[in-house]
Amino acid sequence: MTAILPYLIMGAVIALFWIAERRNPDSVTRFEETVLAIILALITLVSFSQVVARYGFNSGWSGALEFTRILFAWLILFGMSYGLKQGMHLGVDALLRLFPKKLFRFFAIFGAFCAFLYAAILINSAWLGVFGVDTQGGAMLYWSKMYQVGIGLDDLRYPEWMQDTFGLKERVQRWIAYLILPIGLGLFGFRALQAMVAIWRGEREMVIAGHEAEDLVAENRGILKD
């Protein structure tokens, strides 16, 4: 059961996103942006308060560095799927735009497929054995081991009242902090598949933002004249 638990979590999150987007896609975008904004705000708040506590009162929170490091990991792993969805990932498309339209679309779809392949390998690389690659590991295996072993984080601890009230261990479990691994990678693969379909249908040009400077100039042409 432990081995399939991260897959169930990943599948449930993807299903929720898919259902919500079919009903109200704007609300999903707002949710993603809100989550990212909250993480950024927490990182800023904790870092600022630590500076004040350290230099102003010669004290501080021992778990602050680990907490902000985990938040930064969540920011990256959750944000990369949002970036793929919005076409924010930087890339170079100068060579691709020299190709005929059909060949350009082929390489654009191939680029989205590579993004999906990247997510699939990071999730679990064992399937590469089909091609004769001797490898074992991935985010799912790592998360499952952390869940089974029950190792706590180095410095991040629950408050004493939570330990007494809920019977929790002193240190926050690593598997809780690493939940973003199946969630973030699963969403990234999901967005890559969506991008492949959108490019195939002609609803999207490619997965990268290869000419964002030109787009910014075009959007602000009237402002630049003023």
Side-chain angles (χ1 to χ4, degrees):
M1 180 63 183
T2 304
I4 66 171
L5 183 58
Y7 293 98
L8 294 176
I9 295 172
M10 181 181 69
V13 172
I14 292 174
L16 286 173
F17 269 71
W18 182 74
I19 293 171
E21 282 192 336
R22 289 178 65 87
R23 295 184 176 181
N24 192 345
D26 291 337
S27 64
V28 177
T29 301
R30 287 195 299 270
F31 170 76
E32 291 172 311
E33 292 173 349
T34 301
V35 170
L36 294 174
I38 290 173
I39 294 175
L40 278 171
L42 285 173
I43 292 174
T44 304
L45 180 63
V46 172
S47 300
F48 175 75
S49 63
Q50 278 297 103
V51 172
V52 174
R54 180 177 301 172
Y55 293 100
F57 303 95
N58 196 26
S59 64
W61 177 27
S62 60
L65 178 61
E66 188 170 38
F67 183 64
T68 53
R69 188 168 63 241
I70 291 170
L71 286 177
F72 194 69
W74 277 66
L75 180 69
I76 294 172
L77 291 168
F78 187 80
M80 64 184 185
S81 65
Y82 174 77
L84 187 61
K85 170 187 172 182
Q86 299 293 90
M88 294 179 175
H89 290 281
L90 298 180
V92 179
D93 60 350
L95 179 61
L96 292 179
R97 295 192 178 278
L98 298 177
F99 296 146
K101 187 175 181 180
K102 290 185 178 179
L103 192 59
F104 173 84
R105 177 178 291 186
F106 168 79
F107 280 112
I109 294 173
F110 178 72
F113 173 75
C114 287
F116 172 77
L117 193 64
Y118 172 77
I121 292 173
L122 289 181
I123 289 171
N124 193 338
S125 61
W127 61 271
L128 291 173
V130 176
F131 304 100
V133 180
D134 185 15
T135 181
Q136 189 75 20
M140 296 306 196
L141 182 61
Y142 183 71
W143 187 90
S144 297
K145 285 184 178 180
M146 292 297 104
Y147 184 81
Q148 289 176 331
V149 176
I151 298 176
L153 294 167
D154 296 329
D155 300 314
L156 206 55
R157 290 170 169 80
Y158 290 110
E160 290 187 4
W161 68 268
M162 291 185 66
Q163 298 178 38
D164 297 336
T165 305
F166 302 104
L168 300 173
K169 295 181 180 180
E170 180 185 9
R171 294 190 296 172
V172 178
Q173 302 295 293
R174 287 184 181 271
W175 67 266
I176 297 176
Y178 296 164
L179 265 175
I180 193 59
L181 287 172
I183 294 173
L185 292 173
L187 286 176
F188 185 78
F190 172 61
R191 296 304 186 194
L193 287 177
Q194 283 186 321
M196 289 174 61
V197 175
I199 295 170
W200 175 263
R201 292 177 176 175
E203 300 169 355
R204 180 173 179 173
E205 197 174 36
M206 56 200 316
V207 295
I208 62 172
H211 50 287
E212 67 281 355
E214 296 176 6
D215 292 340
L216 286 172
V217 171
E219 291 174 5
N220 298 279
R221 193 179 302 276
I223 299 175
L224 293 174
K225 288 181 180 179
D226 296 336

